[in-house]
Amino acid sequence: MANVVIIGTQWGDEGKGKIVDLLTEKADYVVRFQGGNNAGHTLVVQGRKFIFHLIPSGILHSGKVCAIGNGVVVDPAVLIEEMDHLLEHGILLSPDNFIISRYAHIIMPYHRALDLARENRKGKAKIGTTGRGIGPCYEDKVARNGVRVHDLLDRKALMNKLESNLEEKNFLLQHFFNEQPLDAHSILDEYLAYGERLAPFAENVSQCLQAAVEQKRNLLFEGAQGTHLDIDHGTYPFVTSSNTVAGNACCGSGVGPSRIDQVVGVVKAYTTRVGGGPFASELLDETGERLQRIGGEFGATTGRPRRCGWLDMVVVRNAVRLNGLSGLAVTKLDVLSGLPTLKIAVGYQCGAQQLDAIPPEIHALECCQPIYEELPGWEEDIQNIRRFSDLPGNTQRYLKRIEEIAGVPLSIVSVGPARDETIVVRHPFDVNI
Ligand code: GDP
Ligand code: IMO
Ligand code: MG
């Protein structure tokens, strides 16, 4: 038995969905613990592509339980749409394979309206959020005004919360942002209907996971976003509004830290970022365009082009520390094929100072220039390779160097988007604890 956390090491979109889908084979429960439908996790299975925003990426496997933990913020309309889409593909969600925490917070229409209004008002200084209402929903959670899953099952409780919340939100929307106010009654009916649909799945997820642990089941925790979008440890304020690091797998699901055995960090073989914020190794040239084109670097949630750059090991090392990584899953290695030389940032030059970690102040990070190490590239197409030893020598050297700088062993190498386009070096569920 082992419990494994999967985390993005960079700024999201590292390929977490693919890795979670792959590892689900040996898991019994797959648990989302933070974020919401700002996430877009892509799976390619038997030639079919699925993008999940809220439902854990293990859902294509039968006989597994997918859980949405208390730390997730849930837009019920998006969740129901995802459930319906799965049904069209012959996958029926029932309380046997899908549960959602009664404690999870609900994204309300005023959260989306405020997210968009705030971004508009910020103009050039905007964060570039996904506009899904994530930040305002977490704000209400912390301000203790949130609507939780259980409130959708209780007309009176929901109406009380709506009335008191809308008093404040409508004032802001109308008088500060010059937007239209929202009507409590229409929201009430819409959200009670969502509640009716979701009621069979509403559970105490923490208790369900405790029972699973007692039965020696394997739990797989699916991180969303990436370490550098973490509200505390990321490139603040260009971050999301939740803790994205591995520690939150516990808080966001109601499982104690002593239960976690392995933490696998997903590392894209180069770096991407969507939205604003500093990005030291960004390439604003032909190589950057090539990575974007060959890597298909367009957002799975918003369709926005992703900014691309060289692999930044300062960023990855930061993630090793912040998450206590025990293994690495390197993805999209195939995208680098054909580049004559590859660069890896191994430190930053910040004025006269050389740094080997990300400085905490955003202004300092904005001034950092990457210090690069160069490695020879490879010409070969590697998408059909399934064993590490069959990879070209220079590909192996690139991976070994990542392992060496990170100080963490390789678990998985991904050489294509499909489930089977993978080299498993060290399966995290098989590692002796
Ligand atoms: P996530 O948010 O971390 O789950 O990642 P996304 O799904 O947003 O973005 C990763 C993209 O890369 C998706 O389109 C995946 O299908 C694709 N992908 C994942 N692994 C690989 C890989 O090894 N090679 C290639 N070429 N594409 C990959
Ligand atoms: P996955 O799980 C990449 C980014 C947004 C924006 C910032 C804040 O697919 O890796 P938010 O809507 O969360 O308030 O936006 O965070 N962002 C992501 N970038 N992948 C994601 O998720 C992201 N989720 C949020 O682009 O810069
Ligand atoms: Mg994504």
Side-chain angles (χ1 to χ4, degrees):
M1 177 210 147
N3 298 325
V4 177
V5 182
I6 303 298
I7 286 292
T9 58
Q10 294 148 323
W11 281 282
D13 302 329
E14 296 90 350
K16 298 175 294 294
K18 170 185 165 163
I19 300 299
V20 168
D21 168 63
L22 177 85
L23 296 180
T24 300
E25 194 193 344
K26 295 200 179 182
D28 300 297
Y29 284 73
V30 186
V31 188
R32 274 280 307 267
F33 54 88
Q34 48 69 232
N37 58 312
N38 47 351
H41 295 178
T42 316
L43 281 58
V44 179
V45 179
Q46 288 162 0
R48 286 197 302 192
K49 181 171 163 173
F50 296 84
I51 299 178
F52 295 117
H53 301 289
L54 276 167
I55 294 179
S57 299
I59 197 69
L60 300 184
H61 295 256
S62 56
K64 317 286 176 179
V65 181
C66 284
I68 292 186
N70 55 277
V72 175
V73 287
V74 178
D75 186 325
V78 174
L79 176 57
I80 289 167
E81 201 182 301
E82 226 161 66
M83 292 164 75
D84 290 344
H85 182 71
L86 278 168
L87 193 57
E88 282 165 24
H89 284 88
I91 298 165
L92 174 69
L93 267 62
S94 76
D96 292 333
N97 65 358
F98 180 61
I99 52 175
I100 167 167
S101 169
R102 295 171 79 88
Y103 296 168
H105 280 250
I106 298 290
I107 298 181
M108 304 298 289
Y110 43 84
H111 294 139
R112 285 191 300 271
L114 286 168
D115 191 0
L116 295 172
R118 285 213 181 109
E119 283 282 274
N120 278 339
R121 199 180 155 85
K122 281 192 174 144
K124 271 194 171 164
K126 71 179 179 188
I127 290 163
T129 72
T130 58
R132 303 298 194 260
I134 307 294
C137 184
Y138 277 118
E139 281 171 39
D140 271 356
K141 169 177 174 171
V142 175
R144 292 158 293 184
N145 294 324
V147 173
R148 307 202 293 188
V149 166
H150 62 80
D151 292 314
L152 302 186
L153 315 176
D154 180 340
R155 171 179 279 271
K156 203 168 157 212
L158 184 58
M159 192 57 187
N160 283 342
K161 285 200 173 178
L162 273 174
E163 278 177 340
S164 72
N165 283 347
L166 277 176
E167 204 180 330
E168 183 186 308
K169 311 296 181 198
N170 277 342
F171 181 84
L172 269 177
L173 283 170
Q174 276 185 289
H175 302 295
F176 189 70
F177 292 114
N178 284 325
E179 299 285 343
Q180 292 300 311
L182 296 163
D183 172 55
H185 287 94
S186 62
I187 299 178
L188 179 74
D189 290 340
E190 182 187 344
Y191 277 69
L192 284 173
Y194 296 146
E196 216 167 290
R197 176 82 191 268
L198 296 178
F201 306 96
E203 275 288 355
N204 183 326
V205 166
S206 170
Q207 281 180 348
C208 296
L209 297 180
Q210 172 64 16
V213 166
E214 281 165 11
Q215 291 163 23
K216 306 231 176 298
R217 303 294 171 119
N218 286 344
L219 311 185
L220 180 60
F221 295 88
E222 176 177 8
Q225 291 80 55
T227 300
H228 295 84
L229 288 171
D230 183 280
I231 186 71
D232 286 296
H233 303 288
T235 48
Y236 191 89
F238 297 98
V239 293
T240 190
S241 299
S242 63
N243 283 113
T244 59
V245 293
N248 199 23
C250 295
C251 306
S253 65
V255 168
S258 63
R259 305 299 188 193
I260 306 297
D261 302 297
Q262 298 287 321
V263 183
V264 176
V266 186
V267 180
K268 197 180 277 190
Y270 47 97
T271 312
T272 63
R273 156 157 228 182
V274 199
F279 179 175
S281 65
E282 183 168 17
L283 289 167
L284 298 166
D285 60 6
E286 265 169 39
T287 310
E289 269 168 42
R290 179 194 165 123
L291 291 173
Q292 190 182 70
R293 182 170 31 88
I294 299 183
E297 296 297 352
F298 296 89
T301 296
T302 57
R304 290 178 290 177
R306 295 175 182 151
R307 300 155 65 190
C308 297
W310 293 121
L311 177 63
D312 186 339
M313 287 304 292
V314 181
V315 163
V316 175
R317 263 197 319 248
N318 224 34
V320 170
R321 183 185 78 254
L322 291 166
N323 298 294
L325 297 183
S326 55
L328 301 179
V330 176
T331 59
K332 305 196 85 159
L333 197 59
D334 53 304
V335 176
L336 298 181
S337 293
L339 284 167
T341 306
L342 303 171
K343 293 189 188 180
I344 298 181
V346 291
Y348 292 153
Q349 190 72 45
C350 186
Q353 251 190 323
Q354 282 199 359
L355 304 178
D356 61 3
I358 295 188
E361 302 83 9
I362 198 88
H363 294 302
L365 180 56
E366 275 160 357
C367 301
C368 285
Q369 295 298 321
I371 301 169
Y372 284 122
E373 183 175 299
E374 289 192 2
L375 282 96
W378 58 91
E379 277 299 321
E380 297 88 333
D381 178 358
I382 57 170
Q383 207 155 347
N384 293 320
I385 294 178
R386 298 291 174 266
R387 280 198 316 213
F388 185 87
S389 55
D390 292 340
L391 287 167
N394 285 348
T395 320
Q396 292 190 23
R397 268 189 280 282
Y398 189 70
L399 291 169
K400 288 276 175 207
R401 190 66 188 125
I402 294 175
E403 235 182 354
E404 198 173 70
I405 302 173
V408 176
L410 262 185
S411 292
I412 295 164
V413 180
S414 174
V415 290
R419 188 188 278 171
D420 59 339
E421 289 171 327
T422 315
I423 299 167
V424 179
V425 181
R426 188 172 163 271
H427 201 295
F429 280 115
D430 292 342
V431 174
N432 284 340
I433 305 147

